[in-house]
Amino acid sequence: MKKRILRSINNFNLNRLFFDFLKTSSVYLVATGCALALNEAAVMNDNIFGVYMLAVAIISVTTESYIWGVLASIGGVIGVNFFFTFPYFALNFSIAGYPVTFTIMLLMSVLASFLTAKVKTAATLAAEGKKRAETLTDMSQALLTAGDYDTIAEMATEYFHKTNQCSVILYLGSPMQPEIKKIKTSNDEDENIFKSILEQQVALTAYKTGHPAGADIDNGSQNCKGTYLPIGTQDIKYGVVGFLFDDTKFVLEDTYNFINVMISQTILALQKQQMMEQAQEILLETEKEKMRSNLLRAVSHDLRTPLTGIIGSASTLLENGSMINADTSQKMLTDIQQDAEWLIHMVENLLSVTRITGGTTTLKKQDEIVEEVVSEAVMRIRKRFPNHHIDVTVPDELLIVPMDATLIEQVLINLMENSIRHSGSPLPISIRVSKKKIGAVFTISDKGKGIDPSRIPDIFDGKPYKGSTDSSRGLGIGLSICKSIILAHDGKIFAENNTNGGASFTFVLPMKGEHKYAQ
């Protein structure tokens, strides 16, 4: 990249300077005291400088800058001259041969200081490298578990903040009108800085150009305090991430490179989410196309037979009306009426499914009282089948579910009519509503012959039921419409045979405050 992203600070941190000076002074005094004690005890008299060499190593390890080790090296040579070279307690560099000895000792000490500092730096870099590798691994694993863009942005912002120890802002989309914006700051002031028009303009520049912009970036804004890096590829712009580094932080090229690797991890997660959504859209389109195909087959089956019956009965009455007795004529008229009512019911179903799959009308959900919706559906089905008994069970507590009441009534009517027509039993059917963790559960049960097990997996796919004893009434289109309506409500519907005989059709709708069916 280009030199450094941000310049090094020009002023030393006074607290750090003071503590490093205190450490150096303390170690030097302790070393001098130890050397005097050893000299007094006539131990290591000829190697007193080794004590100072040890002190230089300790100072180099414990202080931030190698300069303290160099100063300690010079102090050690002076200490040996002042305390342990005749004349004692006086500086004398004119002794024969001492300048050479002084120079060698100083070089040895400085070299030891530099080597110690280098080892310390290498150890620090190794630890930092290990930490960064662990961070990337954790970040990658966390982002893989994210299920939406908002979660990805939240996780990425947290990792950028935690790893770089600075305030971070992340935009998905244009910074001026972001689809998602996440901020993680160290203080309230930084949040106000990020919200300023100047900072947003610089972030917008990074977004549009695809190049870093901001504080101390080449050709960056001189008054901007944040550093902004684009999130994207050559073909796609995802957003921008901005940083407000502390005044005491050195931001070098390796830091920039590491941030870029983190951005790459974020881009991979965004691409994965994008591909998942595209795959989901393709799957939905495939399901819609499959549903349209099944509906067409169901329509051709369910409408052709009653129309044929109406035409046949009407033609017979028109051509041979005078030859047909009153009872037969009445029966044929009754059949025409029932077939016509059935066709009207089918048209209602088709209009309902058009609202779901046509794409021209948005599903109108309102908070509805479940008991009232069930009551309206039962009342309508009783008008159509006055001789069939229906048992209704609802919870004592008031259940409120967001729904399109007209469509859910249509589902209940379709399922009740299906049970009445195809169960093959005159026994009552039942509607049971209950509240569970997964949502509001509606179950319509009968005590009839049940469902052919081979039909259960695809019973809602709109395929005509050839095994029905009622040849004029298929159950394909009605159940297919039920499935479309329930899926449009983010619910789930399924069928099963009862243990004690008969079949049950169950659908689940999310309660108020829930967004989708809980698996």
Side-chain angles (χ1 to χ4, degrees), residues 431-448:
I431 299 180
R432 184 174 67 257
V433 182
S434 60
K435 178 183 177 181
K436 296 184 180 179
K437 289 184 178 180
I438 57 176
V441 181
F442 299 74
T443 302
I444 292 85
S445 299
D446 61 59
K447 298 179 176 62

Side-chain angles (χ1 to χ4, degrees), residues 115-129:
L115 288 175
T116 305
K118 189 173 182 179
V119 171
K120 176 187 174 183
T121 302
T124 301
L125 290 176
E128 183 68 19

